[in-house]
Amino acid sequence: MAKAMTESVPAAADGEGRIDGDRHLFDLRVYWEDTDAGGIVYHANYLRFFERARSDLLTCLGIRQQALLRDKGLAFAVTGMNLRFRRPAKLEDRLTVATRLEALGGASMTLDQTALRGGAEVLVQAQVRAALIDRDGRPRRLPDHISAAFAPVAATLSPNSSQISDTQQMLRRGHGN
């Protein structure tokens, strides 16, 4: 069997997805509960699929959301999302949600997420903005260890991009660990 050109990095011990180059891949199957009466995935369920993939990305990067909330009173919250539906997923389809870090700011991140069938057929695309907030809902700066944890998936961001932040530039120079 031929080896893929880019090797996947296994997930964290309890993560289900995997890091593949600059993206996180999360596999799932469409069950009856995900569909409408016609066996087509109900549109709102893509939000759940994307949320699972984002949570698993954090797990794979070693960011423990439960500990972050318990110990620091901090949590990630979606502050914006744009969706583009291209093709429907159907009952028993096997899907992969691919997540790429688009930008990492002081208190927020922008992620591109794509639901794929067969690893290549684009079904739904989302651009998601999430912020780190405290228990009162106020934005909080990403702690250095969290910013540093994103280094494996931030490696391919262009340093000339208008969306690159000071944190990403710091990671490129090898600081922030």
Side-chain angles (χ1 to χ4, degrees), residues 16-18 24-35 41-42 45-54 56 89-99 113-119 123:
E16 296 178 26
R18 62 199 178 280
H24 172 264
L25 302 175
F26 183 78
D27 298 322
L28 59 103
R29 178 188 286 258
V30 175
Y31 293 102
W32 186 256
E33 68 185 19
D34 300 319
T35 65
V41 170
Y42 179 65
N45 286 332
Y46 289 102
L47 300 177
R48 292 184 11 215
F49 299 163
F50 290 147
E51 177 67 34
R52 280 186 221 151
R54 286 191 309 277
D56 195 73
K90 299 175 183 170
L91 181 63
E92 298 183 3
D93 278 352
R94 291 186 181 271
L95 306 180
T96 299
V97 175
T99 304
Q113 293 190 277
T114 305
L116 304 162
R117 181 174 34 226
L123 304 179

Side-chain angles (χ1 to χ4, degrees), residues 1-10 18-25 98 100 119 152 155-156:
M1 184 181 229
K3 203 170 196 177
M5 291 189 68
T6 60
E7 289 191 31
S8 293
V9 176
R18 62 199 178 280
I19 304 295
D20 182 16
D22 67 340
R23 63 189 184 161
H24 172 264
L25 302 175
R100 279 196 170 93
T156 60

Side-chain angles (χ1 to χ4, degrees), residues 149-177:
F150 280 96
V153 293
T156 60
L157 290 174
S158 166
N160 299 323
S161 168
S162 62
Q163 294 185 338
I164 194 161
S165 70
D166 292 337
T167 302
Q168 290 163 313
Q169 291 179 17
M170 178 180 66
L171 289 172
R172 290 190 191 291
R173 290 190 303 265
H175 302 286
N177 294 336

Side-chain angles (χ1 to χ4, degrees), residues 50 80-84 113 124-129:
F50 290 147
M81 181 180 288
N82 291 317
L83 293 160
R84 170 99 168 111
Q113 293 190 277
V124 179
Q125 294 172 295
Q127 184 177 58
V128 182
R129 185 170 173 89

Side-chain angles (χ1 to χ4, degrees), residues 125-148:
Q125 294 172 295
Q127 184 177 58
V128 182
R129 185 170 173 89
L132 188 65
I133 60 170
D134 64 18
R135 291 184 193 274
D136 294 325
R138 292 184 306 250
R140 292 292 175 225
R141 189 159 195 75
L142 296 171
D144 287 344
H145 75 279
I146 291 179
S147 295

